[in-house]
Amino acid sequence: YRSASRSRVMSSRRVKTSLSPSLAVFINSGRHLSAHDGVSTRLKSTTSSCRSVTVADLDKQKTIVQDMLYRIRECNHVPEEVQKDLLDFVVESKKVGKMTGKVAKLLCNSSPPGSDPVFEIIEISGGNSICSLTKAAGDTLEARTDAVMSVMENLRSKGIIEGWRDELLPLSSGFYDESVLLVERAAAPFLGMQQYGVHINGVVKTDSGEEMMWIARRSKTKSKYPGMLDHIVAGGQPAGLGLFENVLKECAEEAGVPEDITLKGIQAVGAVSYEVFEPSSSLGNDCIDGVISRSLLFNYDLELPQDFKPMVVDGEVEEFFLWTIDSIIESMAEDYNDPIKPNCYLVIIDFLLRKGYLSPEIPGYLDVLRELRGGYCG
């Protein structure tokens, strides 16, 4: 996920700033401010001056609003023709997912050879249908988990499900509800289940109080979004782990953040949600028409010391570097050639709104606010 085009970063603006001696960095050098530089830096963002909007700012902020909406809609859109034909996935009379009819039929026909079907399509009142589990799937969490896993492993063996993670996610009708079964993370979109995760804005404040954000570049070996920019720390919410436990774990594993620094600087600040249809063309799979990806991300701000440098620990990241708020906002443009991973923008845009980098007087502000939680929040 994690860095941005060298040609555009910090070179599009020459901003005068007052830095402490420890933050003396070549702001206008035309390169990323890397963790390997051994320094942290902070420049007074020209965009942050938009907190008090002047006439000259209006056109700029209108453009920013449109860029924000573009990035939000990248990962928060289900075409109407797809939406009207989706089947609910129902277990124990609870709606726990949604899928296209073609995916439902694939699941019904993909039990391992010699075993009974695990999935079934049931007609209900009004001529509608739902997808559910058969009696062969059992009636306990463990039995259902094993039965569904046998289908997903079969699809994996055929190359239909890729990027296997060996990470189980809880399937339920809501975050605080009891799980009906556990699902391999790579298979989650095939059930259209609600996934949960934690995303962390790693923020550094300069002596002048201005904010910068640590950005990471995703490893090129990752199965999804290889080489893209990302948050300093982000991760799915696995079964059997609390949110804050996951935050501590991910901070240590992904960026080498010591627990004492995390505990001192972390703050829960809300959540964003999205629902997007991923067509088969984007998946490289012609066995289905597409899958529904649904997520709610719990957002955290982590204020980091000026002298802290994130470290590559688990190999999921290639590098870390500091970005100004201006550079982050610039990267939201549709034609930006090295953008941040799509769902990270929702968390970052929420940060920008909370911190006052966009005036609520700008038309479209409320659209941004509403669409940041366009998916299921439950």
Side-chain angles (χ1 to χ4, degrees):
Y1 300 24
R2 310 215 176 206
S3 57
S5 84
R6 309 270 174 182
S7 62
R8 298 186 59 178
V9 175
M10 306 226 219
S11 61
S12 63
R13 299 175 178 86
R14 293 292 186 267
V15 183
K16 293 183 180 180
T17 184
S18 177
L19 299 176
S20 66
S22 63
L23 297 178
V25 181
F26 295 107
I27 295 299
N28 294 322
S29 64
R31 63 181 176 86
H32 293 311
L33 302 173
S34 170
H36 302 294
D37 291 333
V39 288
S40 302
T41 187
R42 183 74 182 156
L43 95 131
K44 184 176 181 181
S45 168
T46 57
T47 305
S48 67
S49 65
C50 294
R51 299 183 191 193
S52 300
V53 180
T54 66
V55 174
D57 294 322
L58 291 178
D59 287 342
K60 179 179 180 180
Q61 292 222 349
K62 287 177 182 178
T63 299
I64 292 172
V65 165
Q66 294 308 307
D67 290 342
M68 286 179 170
L69 289 171
Y70 169 76
R71 292 299 175 183
I72 292 171
R73 291 166 183 171
E74 257 194 322
C75 58
N76 209 348
H77 176 65
V78 179
E80 184 178 348
E81 63 273 17
V82 174
Q83 188 74 52
K84 65 183 179 65
D85 291 331
L86 292 176
L87 279 66
D88 287 328
F89 178 44
V90 179
V91 180
E92 288 189 337
S93 301
K94 301 173 183 177
K95 294 180 181 179
V96 293
K98 57 180 71 174
M99 62 191 69
T100 67
K102 195 168 183 179
V103 170
K105 290 176 182 177
L106 175 68
L107 295 174
C108 290
N109 296 322
S110 297
S111 295
S115 63
D116 294 329
V118 172
F119 291 87
E120 63 179 342
I121 296 174
I122 304 172
E123 291 188 8
I124 58 176
S125 59
N128 297 317
S129 299
I130 63 170
C131 183
S132 189
L133 299 178
T134 66
K135 290 183 179 180
D139 57 5
T140 66
L141 181 145
E142 292 78 11
R144 294 190 196 106
T145 298
D146 290 342
V148 170
M149 183 68 77
S150 70
V151 174
M152 300 310 180
E153 287 178 336
N154 191 30
L155 293 175
R156 177 194 185 190
S157 69
K158 297 177 180 179
I160 297 174
I161 295 179
E162 299 179 334
W164 200 265
R165 303 289 291 274
D166 287 321
E167 182 179 338
L168 294 177
L169 304 181
L171 175 62
S172 65
S173 55
F175 183 73
Y176 303 103
D177 298 330
E178 187 176 349
S179 302
V180 295
L181 66 116
L182 305 180
V183 180
E184 155 61 34
R185 184 173 176 178
F190 283 75
L191 301 179
M193 64 179 280
Q194 181 85 335
Q195 300 181 63
Y196 299 91
V198 295
H199 274 236
I200 297 171
N201 299 306
V203 181
V204 176
K205 288 186 178 180
T206 62
D207 293 343
S208 64
E210 297 297 332
E211 295 161 326
M212 297 184 75
M213 191 176 291
W214 280 106
I215 301 294
R217 183 176 290 280
R218 198 169 170 83
S219 169
K220 292 183 176 64
T221 63
K222 296 289 289 182
S223 60
K224 297 192 72 174
Y225 304 107
M228 286 195 74
L229 306 186
D230 194 4
H231 273 109
I232 182 176
V233 175
Q237 185 62 31
L241 203 63
L243 285 169
F244 197 65
E245 291 176 292
N246 196 25
V247 167
L248 292 174
K249 178 181 77 71
E250 293 290 344
C251 282
E253 290 180 355
E254 292 196 353
V257 185
E259 185 172 307
D260 61 325
I261 290 181
T262 301
L263 291 172
K264 183 178 180 180
I266 200 73
Q267 182 178 12
V269 291
V272 296
S273 63
Y274 61 92
E275 180 174 317
V276 65
F277 176 68
E278 299 179 4
S280 58
S281 58
S282 68
L283 302 171
N285 192 329
D286 58 4
C287 295
I288 56 174
D289 44 0
V291 296
I292 302 293
S293 181
R294 304 166 62 219
S295 291
L296 183 145
L297 307 177
F298 291 95
N299 303 352
Y300 294 82
D301 290 348
L302 175 60
E303 185 172 338
L304 294 164
Q306 292 180 1
D307 60 356
F308 172 77
K309 296 175 289 184
M311 298 182 298
V312 176
V313 179
D314 59 6
E316 295 192 2
V317 172
E318 289 188 356
E319 63 170 330
F320 295 96
F321 58 88
L322 273 172
W323 246 7
T324 65
I325 298 301
D326 276 341
S327 294
I328 289 173
I329 291 175
E330 181 184 353
S331 78
M332 292 190 297
E334 183 176 354
D335 62 350
Y336 194 81
N337 65 354
D338 193 13
I340 301 172
K341 180 172 171 281
N343 65 351
C344 296
Y345 275 119
L346 274 68
V347 179
I348 290 171
I349 291 170
D350 177 76
F351 171 87
L352 296 173
L353 264 60
R354 286 188 289 105
K355 296 292 187 176
Y357 286 98
L358 186 69
S359 169
E361 299 189 42
I362 304 300
Y365 178 97
L366 292 178
D367 295 325
V368 171
L369 188 67
R370 181 182 65 255
E371 293 187 30
L372 284 174
R373 294 156 189 88
Y376 176 59
C377 286

